[in-house]
Amino acid sequence: MNSNDWHSKKMGKFTLRFKPYTLELRHVFTVASFSRSTTPVVLTELEYDGIIGYGEASMPPYLGESQESVMNFLSKVDLSDFDSPFQTEEILHYIDQVDSKNTAAKAAVDIALHDVLGKLMGQPFYKIWGLNPDLIPPTSYTIGIDTEDMIRKKVAEAQQFKILKVKLGLDTDKMIIDTIRSVTDVPLCADVNQGWKNKEEALEMANWLKERNVVFLEQPMPKEMIDENAWLTENSPIPTIADEGCQRLGDVPALKGVYSGINIKLMKCTGMREAKKMAELARALEMKVMLGCMTETSCAITAAAQLAPLVDWADLDGALLIGNDIYHGMTVNDGLCHLPNRPGIGIQKI
C-alpha cells in the first residue's frame, strides 16, 4: 500500500482513486512540541459520470493518522448504494460511520465530493453557498520557532503579508517576538500550541504580547486545562482561539466562555460540509472564527478558502510552505487570497 500508484475502486456510479504523496517543506517547521521537514498526504479522486473531483488528506504526525491509516479507511468506503452526488448529506453521514476518528481521510472524500457537485452545477462552491470572495480576510503566513537569523530570513520572505502567525510555546517566546519586531511592525497572531502551562504566566505574556501588536492567542494552554483557559479568556486583553481544543461540530457549544473563538480546519472536522456548520454555529454563539489549515497542497487549501468569507481570520498558507504542489488553485497576492473562478473547489492539476 505504499506505492505511488493510484488505488482504484469502482462502486456503482462512483469510482474512488487514492494514492500517497509526500509534501516537501521549504523550511524545517518547528512548533512547541516537534520539528519536521515533510508532511505525508493522500490524494483522492472521486469520479461520477465522467466528472472528476479532487480531494486530499493531510496528516501531520501528531494527529495520529498516517498514509496507511487513510488508505485503509478509503479502501473500506463503498458508495454503491448511492445514485447521485446530490445525496450529499446521506453520503457524508455514511462516510462518518465507516470508522471512528479518521477525520483527514473523511475530509479527502468530502472535498472530492464537493468538487464533483460544483462541477455538475457549473459553479465555484463559494457561489453555491452565496458567499462573496471579496470578504475573505488577508491570510496570515506562519513563522515557525527558529533562530534569530532564520526568523529574520523568514520574515523577509513574507513581506507581502499583512499579518504573520508566530509559533510560540518555548522559553524563546520573547526573543522570537522581539526579533520579528526588529524588522517589521505588521500585526501578529501567536499560536502557542498548548505550550504554556501556567495561567498567571499566560496572562502576563498576553499583556506583553498585546503591547507588541499581537491580535490574538491560539491555544495558549493545554486543551485539558479548561478552567485555566476560561480564566485566561476572561482576563486576557486579546482574544483566545481554540485549536487543539476544537475538533468537530459537537465540540463547539462547550467552548463558549472557555475561548473567544475557534479555529476550524478541514482535516480536523471531516471537510467542507462540517466546517461550514461549525462557522455558522460559532457565529450564532457570538464567537470569533478562524479558518486554518495543515501543510496541504492547493487542493485542500482552495477547498477551505471557499468558506473563508465567513470568518474573522484566515490562516491559509499551507500550500505556500511546500515546494512540490501539484495543483493550481487559490493564489495569494499582496497577502490577499484570490479564489479561482472555476467550478467546484476550483483547482487544476499542474
Side-chain angles (χ1 to χ4, degrees), residues 319-340:
L320 304 176
L321 303 176
I322 64 173
N324 60 339
D325 200 351
I326 52 171
Y327 302 105
H328 283 303
M330 185 195 83
T331 56
V332 179
N333 294 309
D334 198 25
L336 299 177
C337 302
H338 298 277
L339 279 169

Side-chain angles (χ1 to χ4, degrees), residues 73-334:
F73 178 92
L74 295 174
S75 68
K76 297 177 190 174
V77 170
D78 185 357
L79 301 180
S80 303
D81 289 342
F82 303 101
D83 293 325
S84 164
F86 288 98
Q87 294 171 271
T88 314
E89 289 287 325
E90 295 165 65
I91 291 171
L92 293 177
H93 176 75
Y94 157 73
I95 293 293
D96 207 10
Q97 306 302 310
V98 169
D99 212 334
S100 63
K101 298 183 180 177
N102 288 284
T103 56
K106 294 170 182 178
V109 180
D110 168 284
I111 294 167
L113 180 63
H114 281 83
D115 199 22
V116 169
L117 286 167
K119 287 171 177 173
L120 286 169
M121 289 186 262
Q123 296 293 336
F125 235 88
Y126 69 85
K127 287 187 178 178
I128 293 167
W129 280 337
L131 302 178
N132 179 358
D134 295 339
L135 299 179
I136 298 177
T139 182
S140 54
Y141 182 83
T142 302
I143 308 293
I145 294 169
D146 220 319
T147 62
E148 291 182 49
D149 286 346
M150 277 304 294
I151 289 169
R152 288 193 190 94
K153 183 174 186 289
K154 290 176 180 177
V155 172
E157 289 175 5
Q159 283 183 335
Q160 67 157 308
F161 293 90
K162 302 178 188 314
I163 183 168
L164 296 177
K165 176 171 171 171
V166 186
K167 294 289 189 177
L168 300 180
L170 300 179
D171 56 8
T172 52
D173 288 353
K174 289 190 175 182
M175 176 277 286
I176 290 170
I177 298 295
D178 286 339
T179 301
I180 293 171
R181 281 289 167 252
S182 72
V183 289
T184 182
D185 58 0
V186 299
L188 305 176
C189 42
D191 185 0
V192 189
N193 287 116
Q194 309 185 86
W196 298 342
K197 312 300 184 196
N198 176 291
K199 67 179 184 181
E200 286 83 9
E201 290 174 10
L203 180 58
E204 189 179 316
M205 277 300 293
N207 283 299
W208 187 85
L209 292 168
K210 161 81 170 167
E211 293 170 3
R212 284 150 186 84
N213 198 17
V214 172
V215 294
F216 67 82
L217 284 176
E218 190 180 342
Q219 201 61 55
M221 290 181 284
K223 62 183 181 180
E224 296 81 11
M225 296 175 67
I226 294 168
D227 292 344
E228 292 87 346
N229 277 303
W231 180 88
L232 178 63
T233 298
E234 187 176 350
N235 292 282
S236 174
I238 52 179
T240 61
I241 305 296
D243 181 12
E244 287 89 344
C246 180
Q247 308 289 322
R248 300 200 56 179
L249 181 66
D251 299 332
V252 177
L255 298 176
K256 182 172 172 58
V258 181
Y259 302 93
S260 315
I262 61 170
N263 184 2
I264 301 169
K265 295 178 180 174
L266 301 194
M267 297 302 139
K268 292 193 302 183
C269 75
T270 73
M272 295 168 68
R273 167 178 165 267
E274 187 155 323
K276 183 166 182 281
K277 290 181 178 183
M278 289 175 73
E280 291 167 343
L281 177 56
R283 280 275 176 261
L285 293 170
E286 299 182 331
M287 297 177 75
K288 296 284 189 183
V289 182
M290 175 184 178
L291 182 64
C293 62
M294 308 301 180
T295 310
E296 298 162 356
T297 72
S298 289
C299 176
I301 294 293
T302 310
Q306 303 296 318
L307 58 106
L310 287 173
V311 309
D312 298 290
W313 298 294
D315 179 35
L316 296 175
D317 64 344
L320 304 176
L321 303 176
I322 64 173
N324 60 339
D325 200 351
I326 52 171
Y327 302 105
H328 283 303
M330 185 195 83
T331 56
V332 179
N333 294 309
D334 198 25

